[in-house]
Amino acid sequence: MRITRSGAGRRRRTAIVATTGLTVTALLLTGCGGSSDSGSKGADADGNITLTVADFGQFGYKEAGLFEKYHELNPKITVKEDTTAEEKNYYPKLLQQLNSGSGLADVHGIEVGRIKEIADTKADSFADLSKVIDVNEWVSWKAKQATAPSGAVIGAGTDIGPMSLCYNRELFEKAGLPTDRAEVAKRTAGGWEDYLALGEEYKKKAPAGTYFMDSASAMFNAVVSSSPEQYYDASGKPVYKESASVQKGWDLAAEAASKKLTQGLAQFEDQWQAALRKSTVATVVCPAWMAGQISTYAGDANKGKWDITSAPGATAANWGGSFLAVPKSGKNVEEAAKLVKWLTAPEQQAAVFKAIGVFPSNQGAYELPDVKSATLPYFNDAPIGQIYADGAKSIPEAVLGPKDGVIKDSISTQINNMEQRGTEPDAAWDAAVRTVDKAIG
């Protein structure tokens, strides 16, 4: 998923740190219960501090060389990252650590599907970052997602996931479909129904052993992500059973499964990675962060075979995105907040985008050359800066709920059952409802 490895100028990054008006001192005064020693408890006798960052998946800091650069700028600070591969394994551990009050890192990544629950129920465990970071720099809905009922902002936005469609040009050509990204966009301009129609056309001449899409549950998530109302309404009531976007996404997923347009893979697992490596899927629903997953697992042998075009339909969507939060109980709260401030500044978000394609939530990055003019060589030099920035500007503000992640995962599991086991749609839906209702109470 690499674009290039060269980062933005160090001097410019230093300038960002130096010119941002809000100060970390404010955090100490108002966000940490007045603790005055939080910045020094973790230092050794020589004043050296090691900051721990716990996250999941791929945040891109290592690939962009940002922790090393932070150490260059701050010689007494060393940053160590502890990454859990799958968020579904990371989050329960984080909740356990919060409940026990032990084992927490200095900085924690939090996925957007969990941020509402954390903001509603665990906000007192985290520093108020509104005293450190100018939340107006983010896309407007990003700050609201991490705002607790008290008004405290408990997470600094890292990335967002404006939607696109990744497709394998080589497989499209063999199946007689257009390979030009503008032509592909025209064929799906009417929405996800057009996408399925294109899939039926692909199936007629599909290379042996290949499928139009990797996962119908991914398409479901893309459909739901384009709607302001998803699993909860504005009052906080779970409405996933009546939600128009959920119903539409479910029906389209059931259609894809019944027409055998999907390989029925659970994304990110071993079989999905192998399918990318072996080029057995022609399209993957592609929030910005997905490009990195594809290039990583498809490997160098498939470089240049993939491309990226706009998502089906006219409505922009966001799938995914994360935050960085600072537990109040840490030994290095002040320094951790400084690190979060630096990592989420425009220059650093642009560097991460350049390194792995994770799209910035900080709007200040959109006009930087590393974002605005970015292309992805792996994806036939797709102009991803333009594609994602255009999408980011029109993404609707979605209502989040505390159990969004649980609901999405439960429904996705049953879509996978329709694909893999041939479970009838009604039976699969009933099973999803039982699981969700048990989980959300």
Side-chain angles (χ1 to χ4, degrees):
M1 73 190 286
R2 310 297 184 265
I3 306 173
T4 68
R5 284 300 187 112
S6 60
R10 176 178 168 182
R11 186 171 59 185
R12 293 185 66 184
R13 279 194 291 273
T14 304
I16 289 295
V17 173
T19 58
T20 303
L22 297 171
T23 66
V24 175
T25 301
L27 174 73
L28 294 177
L29 292 174
T30 61
C32 305
S35 173
S36 60
D37 59 350
S38 54
S40 60
K41 286 190 296 187
D44 66 15
D46 296 323
N48 296 310
I49 294 174
T50 298
L51 295 177
T52 54
V53 176
D55 56 25
F56 50 88
Q58 189 177 32
F59 273 62
Y61 301 135
K62 179 176 65 179
E63 292 82 351
L66 292 185
F67 293 148
E68 290 81 0
K69 293 186 184 337
Y70 196 73
H71 181 68
E72 292 176 8
L73 296 170
N74 304 275
K76 288 188 176 295
I77 306 293
T78 299
V79 183
K80 291 187 176 180
E81 186 179 28
D82 179 13
T83 300
T84 301
E86 294 196 45
E87 196 276 342
K88 67 181 181 181
N89 298 324
Y90 167 86
Y91 187 64
K93 181 180 178 182
L94 172 59
L95 289 180
Q96 185 179 42
Q97 292 167 330
L98 288 169
N99 290 332
S100 67
S102 65
L104 290 163
D106 293 303
V107 177
H108 272 272
I110 300 175
E111 205 267 342
V112 63
R114 316 292 190 179
I115 192 65
K116 178 64 174 174
E117 182 172 49
I118 292 292
D120 283 356
T121 65
K122 303 293 183 183
D124 288 345
S125 298
F126 292 96
D128 180 4
L129 296 177
S130 70
K131 310 303 180 185
V132 182
I133 296 171
D134 183 359
V135 297
N136 294 317
E137 292 182 346
W138 299 334
V139 290
S140 59
W141 42 269
K142 189 73 174 178
K144 294 180 181 177
Q145 290 176 339
T147 300
S150 65
V153 177
I154 54 92
T158 59
D159 63 306
I160 58 176
M163 196 67 67
S164 66
L165 180 67
C166 293
Y167 64 100
N168 188 310
R169 293 167 53 88
E170 185 176 69
L171 293 182
F172 265 43
E173 184 174 14
K174 290 179 178 178
L177 299 184
T179 59
D180 179 79
R181 63 179 71 99
E183 290 300 316
V184 175
K186 287 181 182 177
R187 297 292 297 275
T188 61
W192 293 99
E193 294 84 354
D194 283 2
Y195 173 68
L196 292 188
L198 191 65
E200 290 187 79
E201 190 174 338
Y202 176 87
K203 185 180 176 183
K204 293 176 182 176
K205 297 182 180 179
T210 71
Y211 297 82
F212 181 62
M213 70 177 76
D214 60 331
S215 163
S217 64
M219 181 183 64
F220 168 82
N221 283 324
V223 173
V224 174
S225 297
S226 66
S227 174
E229 184 174 278
Q230 301 175 3
Y231 305 114
Y232 287 79
D233 68 15
S235 71
K237 177 185 175 184
V239 294
Y240 76 96
K241 297 174 189 174
E242 301 83 25
S243 167
S245 65
V246 171
Q247 190 60 59
K248 180 179 179 180
W250 178 269
D251 289 345
L252 288 169
E255 181 180 347
S258 68
K259 292 181 176 177
K260 308 296 183 186
L261 302 180
T262 165
Q263 192 167 351
L265 302 170
Q267 288 191 316
F268 317 117
E269 295 190 357
D270 291 347
Q271 289 182 324
W272 181 79
Q273 297 172 17
L276 293 173
R277 186 174 66 254
K278 297 176 181 177
S279 291
T280 62
V281 293
T283 66
V284 176
V285 169
C286 223
W289 46 265
M290 184 62 81
Q293 299 286 312
I294 292 173
S295 58
T296 295
Y297 296 117
D300 290 343
N302 290 299
K303 183 177 181 180
K305 295 180 181 178
W306 285 84
D307 209 325
I308 301 175
T309 190
S310 54
T315 304
N318 178 76
W319 178 6
S322 297
F323 301 83
L324 293 179
V326 177
K328 285 182 178 177
S329 59
K331 295 181 179 179
N332 309 294
V333 175
E334 180 180 1
E335 292 298 339
K338 288 180 182 177
L339 175 64
V340 167
K341 177 182 178 180
W342 187 80
L343 288 173
T344 57
E347 300 279 344
Q348 281 61 253
Q349 291 204 354
V352 171
F353 178 64
K354 189 171 184 176
I356 67 166
V358 173
F359 196 73
S361 62
N362 192 317
Q363 298 178 92
Y366 296 173
E367 293 301 318
L368 297 179
D370 285 347
V371 176
K372 189 175 184 179
S373 304
T375 60
L376 266 180
Y378 191 95
F379 289 80
N380 193 35
D381 291 323
I384 56 170
Q386 175 187 342
I387 292 172
Y388 295 144
D390 288 347
K393 294 173 184 174
S394 55
I395 291 171
E397 181 179 338
V399 176
L400 297 186
K403 297 295 184 182
D404 277 354
V406 171
I407 298 172
K408 182 187 72 173
D409 291 346
S410 299
I411 293 176
S412 293
T413 296
Q414 292 306 320
I415 290 174
N416 287 150
N417 283 341
M418 287 194 292
E419 296 172 291
Q420 298 172 356
R421 301 177 181 176
T423 306
E424 290 297 324
D426 287 348
W429 178 254
D430 289 345
V433 169
R434 286 195 298 272
T435 302
V436 172
D437 285 352
K438 183 178 180 181
I440 67 177

